[in-house]
């Protein structure tokens, strides 16, 4: 049925063809016709244990573990003709995405076994046609607007002869066609800086691929996260593109009934096996012939998904449905055998037959064009990230100023000469190391987009590498080395000779480029920050040890001495030393410093004060400036060539996680609910009275004015117990913001202020935050609050212990958890682990049930759920709604947001709040009265249309076509105005409401520390114990560093050169500072390098403290337990690994490297290693809590740690008094002050005749002489005690900052109930 748009009803699928002239607005060029044929495609995955699990299994079973395979795709045959739109549907775990990835050649991994073929016009090579793939994840640059994103995509995907005007016209057409007009100038945004909604990002991703103008377009769950109207409009656009000769294949979860009519072909899967593949028109008749007729007024897609799903709600239903599914599989196999000799089906009418030859994909832009476009895009992204730019510029300035202060105006004394060596080493290594770490982090964000564009043939490796440096050459690459050199060089007191300064600047610039090029190599090998930073740190450790500063280059053991020639820091440090000590002078003895006796350089007593002597003591040749600079330039070129080769040939595909043998949801329908009268429970009625929400955002660039954004217009609505209260609206209507506001989870900050008006009332009152937290529970869109290493039962048991009142005994809490487990139908999966992206656990529907189960443990009277059915198939979504209905029947007030509701669920909606884009209410009242309300306004819902879809269509502005936009916009405006006029805020009827004071009795106290702490500790240890790679990762990083140090330093000798070696060895203990920080930030990612197959590492992006912090934030928002319980649990869980690191470090450094083998030194070394790692983790906690921008946090943390290393007492001997005072806060100072006396006491040094002074004595005779020279002859025991105080103090500071952050620094500007409390006062 077709209605006039001005009458208020969107054009339906049936009117699509008649509207073709108007919808065919995209000005894309024609494409080559391509037929896609899938023949006997099978995909199996090896699920046998690997790595540590395989070793454990073989040891347990005393036999080798046999390979075990799980079938993902089983004998799929399909024919997708050119000009057709094909849908792949099925329940969760049916293999839809796996099939799409196999067809698009995106599956890789050594555990995969694939048979069968996929042909494109008879050719198995996908590269010979033009194809595009829209993934489930939106990989977009957050700082670009929608229009800019599409314009840059058009520049890359539509090269000449397409003109600039044509590209802009195509982009504007795409914006209109995808309904992106209202957000075209909105930045994409991310979790920190809000921008486009999820649906808008989804459509932008599709727009990017549409601009490639492909012959074959694959789309994976393209409508997930979209509201029903946006989903329909998007599929309608795909239909239009298909009619122009493209072959489009899409997987879809919950298609609305109008979408069904847009599909040409259908592939129906269950458990990886096909039960139908062919024309949509023949699908329903096919199943009718099998005895499964489509009931009237039922969505065909939902009918088919329910038909092929195994119903586990009871043993009888499971057996019956299993037999039905097996019968359907067999029927289809029999049908295929009968049709085997038939000819290919004819394509859609009006289309010519596809070409029998393939056309190579030769539409790639030239290198120069790619470089130009990518440079412009990267420059814009860089400039729009002020914290990112500031991170590098501020880091260079701070490092230069503080290090210049540390080495301020160095004199020519022996201690001054030693300090000059430390200053030159710092300039050569530490500055470039900080750039290395920051560039590694930044590349982890950019590499995903490169992998996608490179895989699509849009961007080449060379253009990617060149453009990154061209874009930043005047923003970072030149300013950073220049700022550092100008400040540091002259503050340190190096000679003010222009030629000498220019050499210093040139070397610093080359070190900067080496750092960024080496970072690219690290990312090319491992796409994760932790993996790449591990490579970077190991490489840097070898570099620093081989450079000749910590251990004299000729003293390095012969079996690793050759490594110095591969260390770029060796050449940089050597060139800087030659430039300072022997350069720019004609004296063969080099520069002469402040010898206290006369006679000049010819006096043997002044030998130590000559530049030539210094160079020999460092093990460098005299003429060592020009050649190192040339070699450094070769390093830059070599690293970039190496990175380019790895990026070109080491493809980043889709990894395969470890899976269980079944994906079946065994929980559906097994809920045990109990209907209760509202008179028997403490029901809570919730009102919104003229409630509105505005956000004021500030920019990091202070000169920009703050922006005011209206999120919710004044809303008056009520939500009742015992029914489903549903909030619906298109993307950007403020549904999630409303839920966050009701639960008080919107908190103002320095950059964002929330302003509210109106009231949110519970039983007519504005209760305190504590009461609201007690009576309300909030289920977020994701299930990230579940710990993946725990079973379902364990998650519930621990949640019960942490959330239920102390008046209950432990056994009573367990019984409550078991009752909820049974109520939610989770009994059959109770002992299965939850799982993650790497280790497959329970199904998506079961995870959603567990999340809900945890929230209802405390019997909350109000339960709010944000998109509880998003990402679930129609059958699973229906089972979740059944669960929610049962919870509502128990007297709870349930409020949920819904995007794409099933047609048969609307009748269960008790109250509906309908919001238009921009947060304007269009309807708020009984669900049963919604359609009569719109009918009274002249908008009647057809009897065959899903009421929810009808309502969403009605309030959505059609941005696809300018001729209809004005009419639809006016229609929505009039609907909003009609509702405002007919339903002004009115007095509430309160006669039937319970006494508001009763809400106070529902207040739930936070679980006491003495109960929460042991539970949290036990939960954390269980979760960690079930992740053996993380355990190995935590112990191997410090162990690896100790092994490398031992290789370079053992055996430590007692000659004159070994003075520098011994002190350099002690200085290297400070590297553990970074080990602690990196373990805190991202250690668990290291397991990807150890145990997962190629390309699987990208699937696991888990960080230790940030990840646990997010779980804690969720549970703390639920008022489960205190900050103190979490923090002490986290600290004690770390201690065993820190102690183990200390002991392993002591064994290798004391016993193997050759330090004095005394009991006291062994335990001093072990304690120092433990303390430095612990302080490093504390610093990581501090900056991760303070700074939400991870890149800025990493850069800032690394800068602070590097300065602490420089001021440790070995690299700089004369620190200004002010910095010396600050240095008392550094654990490195106390560590050096404690380690040096213990390790050098009683050591006697020898020297050669050349090294002896005029009187025949050695420059340094004993360890005590060395301690006095380096001013480390203080009280060793006092220094060790001070280090212990640093451990406690740093952790206490980290706790204080976390406490302040969670209490919002005393900030009272929070929205919601905090605001209402102020009003009440």
């Amino acid at each position: 049925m077709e209605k006039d748009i001005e009458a208020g009803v969107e054009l339906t699928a049936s009117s699509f063809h008649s509207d073709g002239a108007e919808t065919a607005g995209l000005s894309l060029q024609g494409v080559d016709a391509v037929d896609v044929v899938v023949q006997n495609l099978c995909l199996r995955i090896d699920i046998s244990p690997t790595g540590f699990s395989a070793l454990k299994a073989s040891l347990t079973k005393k036999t080798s573990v046999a390979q075990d395979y799980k079938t993902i795709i089983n004998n799929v045959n399909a024919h997708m003709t050119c000009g057709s739109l094909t849908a792949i549907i099925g329940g969760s775990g049916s293999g839809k995405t796996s099939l799409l990835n196999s067809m698009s050649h995106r599956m890789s991994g050594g555990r995969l076994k694939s048979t069968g073929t996929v042909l494109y016009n008879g050719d198995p090579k996908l590269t010979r046609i033009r194809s595009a793939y829209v993934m489930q994840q939106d990989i977009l640059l957050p700082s670009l607007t929608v229009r800019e994103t599409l314009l840059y995509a058009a520049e890359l995907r539509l090269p000449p002869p397409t003109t600039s005007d044509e590209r802009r016209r195509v982009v504007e057409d795409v914006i209109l066609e995808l309904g992106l007009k209202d957000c075209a100038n909105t930045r994409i945004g991310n979790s920190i800086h809000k921008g486009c909604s999820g649906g808008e990002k989804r459509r932008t991703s599709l727009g990017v691929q549409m601009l490639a103008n492909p012959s074959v377009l694959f789309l994976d769950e393209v409508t997930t996260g979209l509201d029903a109207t946006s989903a329909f409009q998007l599929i309608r656009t795909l239909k239009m593109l298909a009619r122009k000769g493209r072959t489009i294949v899409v997987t879809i979860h919950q298609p609305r009934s109008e979408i069904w009519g847009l599909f040409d072909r259908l592939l129906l899967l269950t458990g990886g096996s096909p039960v139908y593949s062919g024309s949509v028109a023949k699908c329903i008749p096919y199943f009718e012939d099998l005895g499964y007729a489509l009931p009237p007024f039922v969505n065909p897609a939902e009918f088919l998904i329910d038909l092929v799903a195994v119903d586990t709600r009871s043993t009888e239903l499971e057996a019956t449905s299993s037999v039905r599914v097996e019968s359907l599989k067999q029927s289809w196999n029999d049908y295929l055998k009968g049709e085997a000799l038939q000819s290919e089906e004819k394509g859609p009418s009006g289309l010519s037959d596809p070409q029998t030859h393939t056309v190579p994909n030769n539409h790639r832009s030239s290198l120069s064009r790619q470089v130009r476009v990518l440079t412009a895009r990267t420059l814009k992204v860089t400039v729009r990230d002020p914290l990112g730019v500031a991170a590098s510029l501020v880091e260079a300035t701070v490092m230069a100023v503080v290090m210049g202060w540390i080495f301020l105006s160095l004199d020519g004394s022996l201690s001054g000469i030693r300090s000059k060596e430390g200053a030159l080493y710092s300039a050569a290594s530490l500055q470039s190391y900080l750039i290395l770490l920051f560039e590694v982090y930044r590349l982890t964000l950019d590499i995903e987009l490169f992998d996608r564009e490179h895989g699509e043939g849009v961007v080449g490796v060379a253009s990617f590498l060149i453009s990154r440096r061209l874009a930043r050459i005047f923003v970072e690459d030149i300013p950073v080395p220049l700022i550092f050199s100008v400040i540091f060089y002259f503050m340190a007191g190096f000679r003010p000779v222009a030629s000498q300064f220019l050499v210093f600047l040139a070397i610093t610039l080359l070190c900067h480029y080496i750092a960024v090029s080496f970072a690219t190599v690290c990312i090319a090998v491992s796409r994760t920050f932790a993996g790449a930073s591990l490579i970077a740190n190991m490489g840097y450790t070898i570099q620093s040890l081989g450079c000749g500063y910590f251990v004299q280059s000729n003293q390095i053991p012969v079996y690793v001495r050759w490594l110095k020639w591969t260390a770029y820091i060796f050449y940089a440090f050597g060139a800087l030393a030659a430039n300072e000590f022997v350069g720019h002078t004609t004296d063969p003895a080099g520069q002469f410093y402040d010898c206290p006796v006369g006679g000049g350089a010819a006096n043997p007593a002044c030998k130590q004060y000559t530049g030539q002597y210094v160079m020999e003591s460092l093990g460098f040749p005299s003429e060592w400036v020009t050649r190192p600079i040339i070699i450094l330039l070769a390093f830059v070129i070599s690293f970039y060539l190496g990175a380019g080769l790895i990026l070109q040939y080491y493809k980043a595909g889709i990894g395969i996680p470890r899976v269980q043998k079944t994906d079946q949801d065994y929980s559906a329908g097994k809920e045990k609910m109990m209907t209760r009268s509202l008179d028997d429970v403490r029901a809570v009625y919730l009102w919104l009275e003229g409630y509105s929400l505005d956000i004021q955002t500030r920019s990091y660039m202070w000169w920009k004015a703050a922006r005011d954004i209206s999120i919710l217009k004044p809303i008056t609505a009520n939500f009742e117990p015992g029914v489903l209260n549903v909030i619906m609206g298109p993307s950007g209507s403020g549904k999630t913001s409303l839920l966050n506001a009701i639960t008080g989870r919107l908190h103002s900050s320095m950059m964002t202020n929330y302003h509210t008006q109106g009231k949110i009332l519970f039983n007519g009152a504005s209760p305190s935050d504590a009461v609201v937290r007690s009576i309300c529970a909030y289920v977020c869109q994701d299930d990230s609050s579940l710990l993946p290493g725990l079973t379902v039962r364990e998650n519930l048991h621990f949640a019960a212990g942490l959330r239920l009142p102390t008046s209950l005994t432990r056994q009573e809490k367990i019984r409550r958890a078991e009752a909820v487990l049974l109520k939610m139908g989770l009994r059959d999966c109770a002992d299965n682990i939850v799982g993650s992206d790497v280790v497959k656990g329970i199904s998506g529907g079961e995870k959603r049930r567990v999340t809900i189960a945890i929230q209802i443990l405390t019997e909350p009277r109000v339960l709010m759920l944000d998109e509880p059915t998003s990402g679930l198939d129609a059958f699973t979504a229906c089972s979740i709604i059944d669960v929610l209905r049962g919870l509502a029947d128990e007297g709870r007030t349930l409020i949920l947001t819904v995007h794409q509701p099933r047609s048969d669920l609307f009748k269960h909606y008790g109250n509906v709040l309908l919001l238009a884009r921009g947060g304007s209410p269009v309807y708020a009242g009984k669900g049963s009265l919604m359609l009569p309300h719109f009918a009274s306004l002249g908008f009647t819902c057809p009897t065959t249309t899903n009421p929810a879809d009808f309502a969403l269509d009605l309030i959505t502005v059609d941005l696809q076509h300018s001729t209809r936009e004005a009419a639809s916009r006016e229609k929505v405006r009039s609907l909003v105005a009609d509702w405002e006029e007919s339903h002004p805020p009115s007095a509430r009827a309160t006669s039937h409401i319970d006494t508001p004071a009763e809400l106070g009795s529902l207040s739930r106290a936070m679980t006491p520390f003495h109960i929460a702490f042991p539970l949290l500790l036990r939960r954390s240890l269980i979760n960690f114990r079930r992740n053996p790679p993380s355990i190995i990762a935590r112990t191997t990083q410090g162990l690896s560093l100790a092994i490398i140090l031992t290789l370079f330093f053992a055996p430590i000798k007692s000659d004159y050169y070994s003075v520098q070696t011994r002190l350099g060895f002690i200085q290297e203990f400070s590297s553990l500072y970074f080990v602690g920080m990196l373990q805190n930030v991202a250690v668990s990612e290291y397991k990807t390098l150890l145990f997962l197959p190629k390309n699987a590492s990208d699937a696991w992006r888990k960080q230790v403290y940030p990840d646990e912090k997010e779980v804690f934030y969720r549970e703390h928002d639920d008022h489960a337990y205190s900050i103190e319980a979490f923090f002490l649990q986290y600290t004690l869980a770390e201690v065993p690994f820190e102690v183990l690191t200390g002991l392993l470090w002591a064994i290798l450094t004391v016993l193997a490297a050759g330090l004095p083998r005394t009991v006291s030194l062994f335990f001093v070394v072990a304690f120092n290693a433990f303390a430095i790692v612990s302080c490093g983790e504390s610093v990581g906690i501090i900056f991760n809590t303070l700074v939400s921008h991870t890149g800025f946090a990493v850069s800032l943390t690394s800068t602070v740690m590097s300065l602490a290393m420089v001021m440790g007492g070995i690299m700089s001997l004369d620190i200004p008094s002010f910095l010396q005072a600050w240095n008392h806060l550094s654990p490195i100072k106390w560590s050096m002050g404690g380690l040096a006396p213990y390790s050098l006491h009683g050591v006697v040094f020898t020297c050669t005749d050349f090294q002896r002074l005029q009187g025949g004595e050695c420059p340094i005779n004993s360890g005590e002489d060395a301690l006095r020279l380096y001013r480390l002859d203080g009280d060793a025991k006092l220094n060790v005690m001070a280090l212990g105080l640093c451990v406690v103090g740093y952790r206490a500071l980290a706790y204080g900052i976390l406490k302040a952050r969670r209490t919002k620094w005393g900030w009272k500007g929070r929205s919601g109930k905090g605001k209402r409390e102020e009003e009440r006062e």
Side-chain angles (χ1 to χ4, degrees), residues 887-960:
L887 293 174
D889 290 340
E890 293 183 337
R892 293 181 179 86
T893 305
L894 263 72
I895 307 173
L896 61 148
T897 63
V898 178
H899 255 158
Q900 299 181 42
R902 283 179 56 131
S903 57
D904 55 347
L905 295 180
F906 183 80
K907 61 179 179 290
H908 301 299
Y909 296 169
N911 291 302
V912 173
L913 172 60
L914 199 58
L915 298 175
R917 182 177 174 83
S920 298
V922 180
Y923 176 81
K926 298 290 186 182
S928 58
L929 300 179
M930 185 186 75
L931 294 183
H933 165 74
F934 289 125
S936 68
L937 299 176
F939 304 107
T940 303
C941 177
T943 56
T944 58
T945 300
N946 181 348
D949 293 342
F950 165 78
L952 289 172
D953 290 347
L954 198 61
I955 64 171
T956 302
V957 177
D958 188 347
L959 300 174
Q960 290 184 304

Side-chain angles (χ1 to χ4, degrees), residues 1223-1268:
N1223 199 31
H1224 283 75
L1225 301 176
S1226 170
I1228 304 300
K1229 168 187 168 53
W1230 304 114
S1231 177
M1232 300 298 102
L1235 284 169
Y1238 275 105
S1239 61
L1240 288 174
H1241 180 71
V1243 177
V1244 177
F1245 295 105
T1246 61
C1247 61
T1248 64
D1249 292 338
F1250 173 78
Q1251 295 166 341
R1252 294 183 184 277
L1253 300 179
Q1254 188 175 15
E1257 71 273 11
C1258 293
I1260 297 178
N1261 291 303
S1262 64
E1264 285 71 16
D1265 291 340
L1267 291 173
R1268 282 191 293 271

